Amino acid sequence: MKHSYKTEGTVLLVENVSVTIGNKTIIENINMEEHNTLRDGHAQGQMIAVVGRSGRGKSTLFKTITGLRKPSTGRILIPSNEINKPIEVQEGTVGFVDQKYTLFRHLTIYNQLKLAARKGGIPDGEIHGRVMDLLNKWGLEKAKDQYPCHCSGGQRQRAAIMSQLLSSGYFLVLDEPFSGLDVGNVEDVKSMLRLVNTSHELSTIIFSTHDIELAVELADKIYVLGFASPSKQVGTVVASFDLKALGLAWQPYSQSHTELAKDIKTAILGS
Amino acid sequence: MASMKKLVTPFEVLKAPHNLALVAFWLVAVIGYWYLSTTGQKHLLPSPQSVLRGLGEEYQEGLVPHIFSSLSLCGQATFWALLVSLPLAYLSTLPLFMPVIQGISKFRYLPLTGITFYLATSPLISSGRAMQVGVLVIFMSVYFVTSLLSVIADIPQEEFDHARSLKMSRWEVLWHVIVRGRIDYAIDILRQNLAIVWMMLVTVESIVMSAGGLGTIIKNADRYANHGRIFAAQLVILLIGILLDYLLSELRYSFPYVNRGSKN
């Protein structure tokens, strides 16, 4: 059954973005526009996957979307607190979690989150409560006084995502969050992403993966990054698939998803 | 037989008691060889008896104050070297200072004699002790800065990105990722550099003998070719060096976020 939905307002606008490092252009003419998805009876954010072969500029695009790298041309806009007044992304406005789930090695999980909350502008008086609330919700209360080196992979994943949520708000970019994880951890991360995705209307998760079936299962929009032509080795968006419009978003995995995954793989292999 | 085979198999890991037994075996073997090799008329090393006798004489003549003098010299040099090197290494993250600090690191190729001569003639050096400290500080600092630059260069980009993604200012990134985040590495570098300084002790203390120290003991014994006393003083230097190394290693592992045996 196709779920009904409507869209309203832009939550992410990537406009003609190019990045050149030294003399080498890594990505160019990247355009993406995402709208706030509204579903009756659901607090539903957006889940966007970026797929493509290695070396097509996914990580560069992610660093640009998170403001960690300035685009050489173009701009990236996200909504501000004021309605109809978008802002350009800067360092910290969009949360970023790398595939190693990096944390500060010298801070306990609790102190990592406290620091993130402070940087996120949460008033001092509310920080402890907010952090403890998240720790309980994500099942990390027993690990709160542990340092990252004493945490399991799953605990580190949760802590890294939580710290970004506390500091950056609704936007979260994850660079290959499923890379190198065992089956159990993959399921944990999927649950975490769904939890974040359904926590607020504006929650927007952008992730990259080489597992196309996983992208089709989780995302409601998929962008394929590749080379526009073999002679010009610069990454750009070569295809996009709107799973909402196709009636595949928020549905159990089916034969239609498998067919779509095949189409996406074809688009990847051709670029 | 199987366990004997393990001893000569590459990458074989032994049980802790076996390792201890192996250490004890080598210790006995080395001491035994030392004893046997010094029984003849001509021998390379002084006999254990003459070393023990030398140690006793040195103790009677004030070995302990000399040890404290050497430790004091080492402590002063370490203090000043840390005071100079740590800010320099951290400042290397500022493009303005990077060329200067990389240049300082290259001074490790400067010969000791040149520095000693310059310091000896410098009007700023008021005493022999100050010169000894000066030489050690220069040596320790150039190696310290070099090692710290290498530690900073090896920090994964992800750690900087993580800090920046949390809206941290560049100074906060420096504080959390490099200063606080790598303090245990700085202690480990100190441990390695202290070995260099401790090794240079004899050379530096023999420049100005009036300041005393273990180097002076060796230099005095050398005048009379008293090999037993020279060897005894060297053993004392070695054992104190090993103790300092152990203490600094323990200090590093006292940080709760440092795992033993790994650079996490």
Side-chain angles (χ1 to χ4, degrees):
Chain A
M1 188 191 81
K2 188 174 171 178
H3 291 286
S4 64
Y5 71 97
K6 57 183 180 177
T7 57
E8 180 190 83
T10 302
V11 289
L12 174 70
L13 180 68
V14 179
E15 204 173 62
N16 293 322
V17 164
S18 304
V19 174
T20 301
I21 301 170
N23 294 324
K24 188 171 169 54
T25 301
I26 310 295
I27 48 173
E28 70 176 9
N29 295 329
I30 303 278
N31 289 289
M32 301 162 89
E33 185 168 7
E34 291 306 317
H35 300 281
N36 183 18
T37 306
L38 300 171
R39 290 174 68 197
D40 283 340
H42 290 86
Q44 177 78 56
Q46 294 61 237
M47 187 97 87
I48 303 151
V50 177
V51 296
R53 297 184 68 182
S54 298
R56 266 54 174 182
K58 294 189 295 292
S59 294
T60 304
L61 173 64
F62 279 10
K63 286 199 176 182
T64 314
I65 290 177
T66 51
L68 295 172
R69 181 178 287 285
K70 284 202 186 313
S72 307
T73 63
R75 58 183 189 155
I76 298 163
L77 300 174
I78 57 171
S80 68
N81 291 334
E82 293 173 54
I83 297 163
N84 295 329
K85 198 173 179 192
I87 51 162
E88 280 205 50
V89 290
Q90 290 174 339
E91 274 181 28
T93 46
V94 173
F96 179 60
V97 180
D98 64 70
Q99 58 180 289
K100 291 184 193 163
Y101 296 98
T102 304
L103 292 162
F104 293 116
R105 60 194 291 276
H106 62 284
L107 294 178
T108 61
I109 298 297
Y110 174 78
N111 284 331
Q112 311 253 1
L113 299 181
K114 215 170 116 177
L115 179 64
R118 195 174 300 129
K119 298 308 292 180
I122 297 171
D124 281 351
E126 295 175 23
I127 286 177
H128 177 75
R130 287 281 290 275
V131 167
M132 289 311 296
D133 188 40
L134 258 184
L135 283 166
N136 290 328
K137 198 169 166 185
W138 289 57
L140 270 183
E141 67 278 15
K142 282 183 185 159
K144 78 180 178 64
D145 295 322
Q146 286 178 208
Y147 288 89
C149 65
H150 300 129
C151 291
S152 69
Q155 288 171 327
R156 287 176 64 108
Q157 287 156 10
R158 276 173 279 170
I161 293 173
M162 283 156 68
S163 67
Q164 294 296 334
L165 289 174
L166 282 166
S167 89
S168 307
Y170 306 125
F171 277 84
L172 195 57
V173 171
L174 299 104
D175 194 5
E176 297 193 25
F178 304 103
S179 168
L181 301 186
D182 66 30
V183 180
N185 281 338
V186 166
E187 288 305 315
D188 284 346
V189 175
K190 275 162 66 176
S191 308
M192 277 186 266
L193 296 187
R194 285 189 177 120
L195 184 65
V196 175
N197 187 230
T198 51
S199 64
H200 194 278
E201 268 306 321
L202 290 175
S203 279
T204 303
I205 294 170
I206 307 172
F207 68 97
S208 63
T209 180
H210 289 293
D211 187 332
I212 310 306
E213 282 76 17
L214 203 57
V216 169
E217 183 187 341
L218 284 175
D220 44 65
K221 182 82 172 270
I222 296 175
Y223 287 92
V224 179
L225 224 60
F227 296 148
S229 71
S231 59
K232 196 178 180 190
Q233 304 219 322
V234 177
T236 193
V237 175
V238 292
S240 65
F241 300 85
D242 189 341
L243 281 81
K244 301 184 290 290
L246 293 169
L248 298 177
W250 318 303
Q251 300 278 4
Y253 202 84
S254 66
Q255 185 59 32
S256 304
H257 289 86
T258 307
E259 294 298 324
L260 178 64
K262 275 185 194 168
D263 292 345
I264 294 171
K265 282 178 188 173
T266 306
I268 291 171
L269 289 170
S271 60
Chain B
M1 191 63 196
S3 58
M4 293 299 277
K5 199 179 171 189
K6 275 186 174 182
L7 293 176
V8 288
T9 306
F11 313 116
E12 197 62 50
V13 181
L14 301 180
K15 289 175 183 166
H18 292 175
N19 268 326
L20 208 64
L22 206 57
V23 171
F25 165 77
W26 279 113
L27 206 62
V28 170
V30 167
I31 293 171
Y33 174 76
W34 181 22
Y35 188 80
L36 290 173
S37 68
T38 53
T39 48
Q41 282 296 313
K42 286 186 176 179
H43 40 81
L44 184 66
L45 299 174
S47 65
Q49 298 94 315
S50 68
V51 171
L52 275 175
R53 196 167 47 246
L55 188 65
E57 288 166 9
E58 282 168 352
Y59 181 77
Q60 295 296 327
E61 292 165 20
L63 175 66
V64 176
H66 281 296
I67 289 175
F68 280 105
S69 172
S70 291
L71 285 173
S72 160
L73 172 62
C74 217
Q76 286 178 56
T78 303
F79 172 78
W80 289 109
L82 280 175
L83 210 65
V84 171
S85 315
L86 285 174
L88 280 178
Y90 299 145
L91 282 176
S92 72
T93 55
L94 275 63
L96 176 66
F97 296 114
M98 189 54 170
V100 179
I101 292 155
Q102 279 186 335
I104 289 170
S105 159
K106 298 287 181 283
F107 276 98
R108 65 190 186 277
Y109 294 108
L110 211 61
L112 172 69
T113 321
I115 296 170
T116 314
F117 177 75
Y118 175 74
L119 288 176
T121 55
S122 169
L124 293 174
I125 303 293
S126 56
S127 68
R129 189 54 141 187
M131 195 182 82
Q132 289 176 333
V133 172
V135 171
L136 289 179
V137 167
I138 290 172
F139 256 79
M140 205 173 179
S141 299
V142 291
Y143 284 104
F144 209 96
V145 167
T146 306
S147 306
L148 278 170
L149 288 180
S150 166
V151 164
I152 293 170
D154 285 343
I155 296 175
Q157 183 59 38
E158 288 89 346
E159 291 195 36
F160 295 104
D161 287 344
H162 172 63
R164 288 170 62 200
S165 71
L166 292 178
K167 298 193 180 101
M168 285 188 171
S169 71
R170 297 296 169 91
W171 290 103
E172 287 175 311
V173 174
L174 173 66
W175 172 248
H176 278 287
V177 178
I178 296 180
V179 182
R180 281 194 67 191
R182 289 294 182 281
I183 193 143
D184 55 311
Y185 282 71
I187 291 168
D188 200 45
I189 292 170
L190 172 65
R191 186 177 67 83
Q192 291 164 22
N193 278 273
L194 202 66
I196 298 173
V197 168
W198 196 244
M199 206 172 67
M200 285 174 58
L201 204 69
V202 178
T203 317
V204 173
E205 285 181 336
S206 60
I207 298 168
V208 187
M209 292 185 51
S210 59
L214 291 163
T216 313
I217 290 183
I218 292 185
K219 194 76 180 170
N220 280 334
D222 189 39
R223 273 189 201 155
Y224 305 104
N226 190 332
H227 291 175
R229 291 180 69 154
I230 294 172
F231 208 80
Q234 282 188 314
L235 274 181
V236 171
I237 292 174
L238 175 69
L239 291 175
I240 294 173
I242 291 171
L243 178 70
L244 289 176
D245 189 87
Y246 170 77
L247 291 176
L248 282 172
S249 178
E250 286 304 304
L251 178 65
R252 178 177 183 235
Y253 291 124
S254 69
F255 287 87
Y257 52 89
V258 180
N259 279 335
R260 270 183 197 275
S262 72
K263 288 200 164 189
N264 61 308

